[in-house]
């Protein structure tokens, strides 16, 4: 620990000396730190969805770099499969320390700019904690629920006012970010309340709510393009869009969003979001997440056509078209076409050598879309609950030698470039294929993240 802070002190002194020699307005920041139990060799810093710099760790897990900022504001860094936001201003020398075993909870900053970032992390952690304790309040009537929110909002705004009073030098931009971090999670809960209340009441109808319930919408904005990747803001906007769609008369979702709901949600996104990039992001996220939630290879062409009509992002359209074609390429109730896979001894095998006349879930995955920890958790859970099914993760993209460290290496495989399976994986997005002991496809496009997957696995588990 002492060595770590000595490292910080030397860097901070260096930054100070450089700053003293320059009379020009600073346009750069120093960004660095130490990663304990690193998950990869580097840290990537992003502005919006664009990577702006990559920092490589030394043998002690330390990194540091100098970045020229295009503007002050929110950025985020990623390491392994996790990420967190930072607020950077020109002249900052921000250094972090985190342990990947407890990523967010262990994250702490020192240096110039540290105080504002430590406060934002505290806001994040407090919201995570409150989200669990607050759930029971969704059973309350609208008036009582709003009172709970207003009480919490009052204390959050008091914290905000105290910070502003004690930091008169703080920029308006940061103060706006801090207010979003403190208040928008509460607004998001207000938007989610109707559907959660109906769920707890096991009702087919949403509760009746007066317009005064949504008074906060006068100050909560939904069209700030610069904040779309900031979770407190993006979660509020998402909940608002869904709530607006439900208000058209849709019943609470039980297992799947209806095609009409998805169609109307895409229309609401187009109507309410004016910034093109933000609109495209929400359109893509909606059509993909609803398809995955259904966990079935049945496509609703009308919904996808609506997406193609509204989105202006050609790359997104190409990927969605590939996803649709991939889905159609593995017809249900037909025998799965044979294809080659490699084990981690680099031995090539036929998929039927692996199946060995057993019921199976083949999970094709890419590190771009799903984290190692999530795969391990789901594979362990599913294999424990469905004993008559074998679960086979197959890596389709990324560095082939990087396997899932926490799963048995003998049950893991990857696709060689010449495998015929690549013909139905052109989108590179994850998918599950369920086959019975005879190789017949029972589900051609399931999702390990969907609650509907269990229904299909229960059927497959009974096949003798």
């Amino acid at each position: 620990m002492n060595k770590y802070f000595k490292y910080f002190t030397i860097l901070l002194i260096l930054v100070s000396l450089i700053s003293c020699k320059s009379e020009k307005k600073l346009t750069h920041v120093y960004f660095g730190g130490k990663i304990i139990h690193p998950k990869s060799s580097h840290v990537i810093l992003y502005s919006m969805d664009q990577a702006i710099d990559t920092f490589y760790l030394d043998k002690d897990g330390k990194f540091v770099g100098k970045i020229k900022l295009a503007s002050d504001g929110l950025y985020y860094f990623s390491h392994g499969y996790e990420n967190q936001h930072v607020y950077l201003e020109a002249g900052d020398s921000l250094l972090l320390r985190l342990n990947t075993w407890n990523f967010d909870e262990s994250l702490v900053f020192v240096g110039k700019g540290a105080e504002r970032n430590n406060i934002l992390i505290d806001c994040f952690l407090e919201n995570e904690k409150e989200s669990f304790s607050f759930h029971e309040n969704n059973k309350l009537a609208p008036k009582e629920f709003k009172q709970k929110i207003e009480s919490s909002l009052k204390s959050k705004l008091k914290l905000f006012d105290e910070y502003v009073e004690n930091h008169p030098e703080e920029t308006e931009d940061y103060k706006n970010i801090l207010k979003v971090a403190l208040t928008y999670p509460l607004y998001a809960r207000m938007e989610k309340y109707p559907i959660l209340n109906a769920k707890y009441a096991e009702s087919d109808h949403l509760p009746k709510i007066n317009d005064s319930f949504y008074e906060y919408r006068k100050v909560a904005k939904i069209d700030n393009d610069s904040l779309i990747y900031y979770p407190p803001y993006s979660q509020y906007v998402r909940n608002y869009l869904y709530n607006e769609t439900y208000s058209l008369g849709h019943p609470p979702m039980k297992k799947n969003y209806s095609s009409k709901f998805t169609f109307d949600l895409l229309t609401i996104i187009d109507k309410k979001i004016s910034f093109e990039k933000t609109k495209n992001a929400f359109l893509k996220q909606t059509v993909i997440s609803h398809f995955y939630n259904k966990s079935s290879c049945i496509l609703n062409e009308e919904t996808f056509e609506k997406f193609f009509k509204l989105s202006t992002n050609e790359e997104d359209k190409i990927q969605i078209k590939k996803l649709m074609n991939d889905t159609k390429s593995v017809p249900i109730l037909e025998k799965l076409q044979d294809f080659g896979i490699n084990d981690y001894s680099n031995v090539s095998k036929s998929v039927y050598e692996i199946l060995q006349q057993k019921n199976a879930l083949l999970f094709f995955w890419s590190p771009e879309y799903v984290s190692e920890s999530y795969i391990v958790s789901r594979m362990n859970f599913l294999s424990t609950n469905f004993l008559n099914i074998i679960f086979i993760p197959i890596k389709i993209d990324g560095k082939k030698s990087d396997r899932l460290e926490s799963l048995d290496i003998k049950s893991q495989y990857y696709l060689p470039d010449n495998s015929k399976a690549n013909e139905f994986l052109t989108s590179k997005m994850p998918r599950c294929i369920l086959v019975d002991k005879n190789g017949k496809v029972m589900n051609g496009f399931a999702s390990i993240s969907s609650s509907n997957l269990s229904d299909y696995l229960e059927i497959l588990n009974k096949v003798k």
Side-chain angles (χ1 to χ4, degrees):
M1 194 67 144
N2 290 336
K3 288 183 179 179
Y4 175 68
F5 281 104
K6 181 180 179 182
Y7 163 75
F8 275 3
T9 302
I10 293 172
L11 177 61
L12 293 174
I13 292 172
L14 175 63
V15 174
S16 299
L17 290 173
I18 293 173
S19 300
C20 290
K21 291 180 179 180
S22 176
E23 296 180 358
K24 295 183 179 179
K25 179 177 173 60
L26 294 175
T27 60
H28 63 264
V29 301
Y30 285 89
F31 180 63
K34 180 178 176 65
I35 309 290
I36 301 170
H37 303 120
K39 296 294 186 181
S40 69
S41 63
H42 57 274
V43 171
I44 305 175
L45 186 68
Y46 292 85
S47 174
M48 299 287 283
D49 60 339
Q50 300 296 316
I52 60 173
D53 213 334
T54 300
F55 310 94
Y56 289 93
L57 307 183
D58 66 16
K59 60 182 178 61
D60 297 317
K62 298 174 184 176
F63 71 98
V64 67
K66 180 181 177 181
I67 314 146
K68 187 172 183 179
L69 290 184
S71 62
D72 296 347
L74 275 175
Y75 296 78
Y76 72 92
F77 68 92
S78 69
H79 175 73
Y81 298 110
E82 299 193 74
N83 63 73
Q84 189 53 264
H85 279 75
V86 291
Y87 186 88
L88 298 176
E89 290 186 359
D92 280 354
S93 49
L94 188 66
L95 299 157
L96 63 86
R97 177 185 175 89
L98 67 83
N99 187 329
T100 62
W101 291 357
N102 208 12
F103 195 97
D104 297 314
E105 291 81 356
S106 68
L107 179 58
V108 64
F109 296 96
V110 299
K112 190 172 185 300
E115 184 179 11
R116 40 177 111 89
N117 282 289
N118 283 325
I119 290 171
L120 291 180
I121 288 297
D122 288 343
C123 290
F124 171 83
L125 295 175
E126 184 66 19
N127 179 53
E128 291 282 292
K129 184 172 67 174
E130 289 178 353
S131 65
F132 290 104
S133 62
F134 209 87
H135 253 286
E136 286 293 308
N137 291 326
N138 289 288
K139 297 178 181 179
L140 299 173
K143 183 178 180 181
E144 287 73 31
F145 181 84
K146 186 179 179 182
Q147 289 173 346
K148 292 283 187 182
I149 290 287
E150 288 177 338
S151 175
S152 183
L153 182 61
K154 185 178 180 180
S155 65
K156 301 285 187 185
L157 290 175
K158 182 180 178 182
L159 288 172
F160 174 78
D161 290 339
E162 289 174 352
Y163 181 85
V164 170
E165 183 179 351
N166 294 324
H167 299 79
E169 79 289 350
E170 204 62 83
T171 64
E172 286 300 316
D173 184 64
Y174 176 75
K175 286 187 283 189
N176 290 335
I177 297 298
L178 179 58
K179 184 171 279 190
V180 167
L182 287 166
T183 62
Y184 272 57
L186 296 175
Y187 301 151
R189 288 179 194 138
M190 294 285 279
E191 295 292 341
K192 194 71 176 286
Y193 166 77
I195 187 62
L196 290 178
N197 181 269
K199 177 182 177 181
Y200 279 119
E202 298 182 352
S203 173
D204 292 328
H205 303 281
L206 299 179
K208 292 182 179 180
I209 296 176
N210 296 326
D211 290 343
S212 61
F213 185 85
Y214 297 113
E215 285 177 335
Y216 60 87
R217 288 181 178 176
K218 296 176 183 178
V219 295
K221 307 301 182 184
I222 65 161
D223 225 358
N224 189 331
D225 204 35
S226 66
L227 292 180
I228 197 58
Y229 290 94
Y230 190 44
Y233 177 81
S234 62
Q235 188 60 59
Y236 166 71
V237 176
R238 183 175 294 109
N239 289 359
Y240 168 83
L241 295 169
Y242 274 76
N243 198 13
E244 284 289 278
T245 306
Y246 274 117
S247 72
L248 299 176
H250 292 280
M253 189 269 279
K254 298 296 184 182
K255 292 188 73 77
N256 300 314
Y257 292 106
S258 68
S259 298
K260 183 66 168 63
F261 182 93
T262 305
F263 188 93
D264 286 345
L265 177 55
L266 294 175
T267 303
I268 289 288
I269 293 169
D270 182 58
K271 178 182 177 182
K272 298 290 186 178
I273 306 296
S274 60
F275 288 105
E276 184 179 26
K277 193 171 184 179
T278 302
K279 180 185 296 187
N280 287 336
F282 273 113
L283 290 171
K284 180 183 179 183
Q285 188 272 337
T286 296
V287 75
I288 289 178
S289 65
H290 286 205
F291 172 67
Y292 270 81
N293 180 72
K294 186 168 58 174
S295 202
S296 163
C297 52
I298 299 173
L299 293 170
N300 183 276
E301 301 283 349
E302 185 182 18
T303 298
F304 283 96
E305 287 304 317
K306 182 71 170 178
F307 165 79
F308 292 130
K309 178 181 178 181
L310 297 179
S311 176
T312 58
N313 188 305
E314 294 303 319
E315 290 184 3
D316 289 350
K317 291 181 181 181
I318 290 171
Q319 187 178 30
I320 298 298
K321 285 177 181 177
K322 287 181 177 180
L323 178 66
M324 295 176 70
N325 291 333
D326 289 346
T327 304
K328 298 172 184 177
S329 298
V330 184
I332 60 172
L333 303 182
E334 295 186 13
K335 189 168 183 177
L336 180 69
Q337 65 168 312
D338 196 8
F339 58 85
I341 55 178
N342 287 7
D343 63 21
Y344 279 88
S345 298
N346 205 31
V347 176
S348 181
K349 299 182 180 182
S350 158
V351 69
Y352 280 100
E353 289 182 63
I354 309 303
L355 294 176
Q356 295 182 340
Q357 296 184 317
K358 295 178 181 178
N359 301 322
L361 178 148
L362 303 174
F363 176 50
F364 300 89
W365 67 281
S366 165
E368 181 177 352
Y369 296 104
V370 61
S371 72
E372 175 180 339
S373 60
Y374 184 74
I375 297 173
V376 172
S377 174
R378 287 295 284 167
M379 291 291 109
N380 287 336
F381 173 80
L382 295 173
S383 60
T384 300
N385 286 274
F386 300 96
L387 300 179
N388 196 34
I389 301 174
I390 60 173
F391 294 84
I392 305 172
I394 304 171
K395 190 173 185 180
I396 62 176
D397 204 11
K399 193 174 180 181
K400 304 294 188 183
S401 60
D402 290 345
R403 63 179 182 87
L404 300 166
E405 295 291 342
S406 300
L407 288 182
D408 184 359
I409 191 172
K410 295 178 182 178
S411 65
Q412 298 182 57
Y413 303 89
Y414 67 88
L415 283 187
D417 293 337
N418 61 354
S419 175
K420 289 186 177 180
N422 290 306
E423 296 174 5
F424 58 77
L425 296 165
T426 61
S427 72
K428 300 300 181 183
M429 296 187 69
R431 73 184 292 179
C432 298
I433 296 178
L434 279 58
V435 295
D436 69 10
K437 62 179 183 177
N438 298 313
K440 183 171 68 174
V441 177
M442 306 299 289
N443 187 324
F445 206 118
S447 168
I448 64 166
S449 62
S450 171
S451 59
N452 295 316
L453 177 62
S454 295
D455 294 342
Y456 295 103
L457 291 176
E458 285 176 4
I459 295 171
L460 183 60
N461 199 52
K462 294 176 182 177
V463 176
K464 301 298 182 181

